[in-house]
Amino acid sequence: MEFRELECFVVLSEELHFARTAERLYLSPGRVSQLMRSLETRIGGRLFQRTSRRVRLTPLGERFLADLRPAYEGLATAVGRAKAAAREVTGVLRVGFLATPTEVVTGSVRAFESRHPGCEVELVEIPLSDPFSRLRAGQVDIAFTLLPVDEPDLAVGEGLNRVSYELGVSARHPLAGRASIGAEELAGLPLIGLDGPAPRAWRERVAPSVTPSGRAIPLAGTVTTSQEGLTQVALGRGGMLFCAPTAAHHRRPDVSFVPVIGLPPSILGLAWARAAETAAIRAFRDAAARHALGSEALVA
C-alpha cells in the first residue's frame, strides 16, 4: 500500500472535497480520484460516497479512518523528523583537496565550520592523477577540483579562484633565472604529465600537449602526485606546471618557479556525486563561494 494513497485518503476524509484535497496535496483533482480508486481496489470496498453535490465517508471508510489515523500520524511524524534531520548540517564532512591545501581550501573550511559548528570537516588528499575515484567510491563527500569538469555523474560548483600558472624547473635549468616565459616557449621544454585514471581533459590541464597556437609540447614522463613531479623537476628531468598558489607553497632551493604568460587561467572549484548530495555538501559549497567572494581568491 502506497503512503501517497493513505495520505490522500486522510486529507480527503478531512476536506470531503476533491478540489480542496488536491490543492492541499499539490495534485490535480483527477490524480486524487485515481489514488482513491486505487486504494478502494486494494481494500476491496468503497471508502467514500460521491455525488455531484457532496462527498462523505462510507461506514467502511469511517472504520478504516479510525484504525488508520494513529499509525498514519506516527508515520507522518517519522517522515517529518527524517526530513528535518536530512536538512541538518552535523557530523563529519569529508572534503578532498588536490596536493596542496591552499588558502582557498583552508579558508573555505574555516568559513564552513564557523557557520556550522556542529559539523566537522575532515580533509583528505586526492591524488593529482585520480581526481574523481574517491568521490565516486564515497570516500570523500565533496572535493576541490580543477574546472571545468565534464563528468555526467558529478555536480560542479562555481569557480572559486582564477589564477595564473608557473613553470617549475630545476634550479640549474637555463630558464630558472627568467622573470617569465611565454606559453609558446613550452614547445621547447618537455613537461611532466600524469599517470593513472585521470580523464584526458584533466591531463591536458596539468600538462598540455600543445601550445595555444598548436605547437607540440613534448612529454617528459608521467607521475601520480605533485611531490613525485617536483622530485623529477629537481632532478632536471622536465618541467611541470603549477598554479601560482601551489607554486608559492612548494618553494624550495632546488626548484625554480617561472610565471607563464599566455595560458588560460587555472580555476579551482568543487565537485560532488549528484546522487549523494546532502545538506552539508550544499552548505559547504555555499560557504566556499561566500569565502571566495570575500577574499582575493578570484584575482588572477
Side-chain angles (χ1 to χ4, degrees), residues 115-203:
R115 191 175 183 88
H116 302 282
C119 189
E120 178 185 354
V121 171
E122 179 182 298
L123 283 173
V124 180
E125 184 174 359
I126 292 179
L128 195 61
S129 61
D130 188 9
F132 305 129
S133 291
R134 291 190 179 183
L135 271 178
R136 290 178 171 133
Q139 296 172 347
V140 296
D141 302 303
I142 187 169
F144 287 91
T145 185
L146 297 176
L147 299 184
V149 170
D150 185 18
E151 302 290 321
D153 60 322
L154 301 181
V156 182
E158 61 192 84
L160 302 175
N161 73 351
R162 199 176 191 85
V163 297
S164 58
Y165 280 100
E166 295 190 14
L167 175 69
V169 293
S170 167
R172 298 181 299 277
H173 194 279
L175 292 176
R178 292 272 295 273
S180 66
I181 66 169
E184 293 300 321
E185 295 181 77
L186 295 176
L189 177 70
L191 289 183
I192 296 167
L194 293 179
D195 198 0
R200 177 178 175 82
W202 178 275
R203 295 197 301 269

Side-chain angles (χ1 to χ4, degrees), residues 3 6-7 9-11 13-14 24 64-82:
F3 178 76
L6 301 178
E7 180 183 40
F9 168 74
V10 171
V11 175
S13 71
E14 295 169 351
R24 276 182 59 179
F64 182 55
L65 178 63
D67 291 340
L68 172 65
R69 189 176 288 280
Y72 171 79
E73 290 177 350
L75 183 58
T77 298
V79 171
R81 287 176 177 171

Side-chain angles (χ1 to χ4, degrees), residues 20 27 33 40 43 63 68 72-73 87 100 105 125 132 140 142 147 149 163 165 186 202 220 242 258 278 281 286 294:
R20 289 197 296 269
L27 300 173
S33 296
E40 288 175 334
I43 297 294
R63 183 184 305 172
L68 172 65
Y72 171 79
E73 290 177 350
R87 292 191 294 268
T100 306
V105 176
E125 184 174 359
F132 305 129
V140 296
I142 187 169
L147 299 184
V149 170
V163 297
Y165 280 100
L186 295 176
W202 178 275
F242 298 88
V258 185
T278 64
I281 288 173
D286 294 344

Side-chain angles (χ1 to χ4, degrees), residues 277-296:
E277 183 173 311
T278 64
I281 288 173
R282 291 189 293 270
F284 189 87
R285 174 202 63 195
D286 294 344
R290 284 192 298 270
H291 172 70
L293 287 174
S295 70
E296 297 180 357

Side-chain angles (χ1 to χ4, degrees), residues 180-249:
S180 66
I181 66 169
E184 293 300 321
E185 295 181 77
L186 295 176
L189 177 70
L191 289 183
I192 296 167
L194 293 179
D195 198 0
R200 177 178 175 82
W202 178 275
R203 295 197 301 269
E204 280 291 318
R205 258 179 241 114
V206 174
S209 59
V210 295
T211 68
S213 71
R215 298 169 64 197
I217 301 175
L219 184 66
T222 58
V223 296
T224 59
T225 69
S226 59
Q227 288 298 327
E228 289 180 7
L230 281 168
T231 301
Q232 296 294 85
V233 167
L235 292 172
R237 294 173 182 170
M240 190 169 182
L241 291 172
F242 298 88
C243 70
T246 298
H249 182 83

Side-chain angles (χ1 to χ4, degrees), residues 260-285:
V260 181
I261 308 300
L263 286 180
S266 171
I267 304 174
L268 195 68
L270 289 163
W272 60 94
R274 292 184 186 276
E277 183 173 311
T278 64
I281 288 173
R282 291 189 293 270
F284 189 87
R285 174 202 63 195

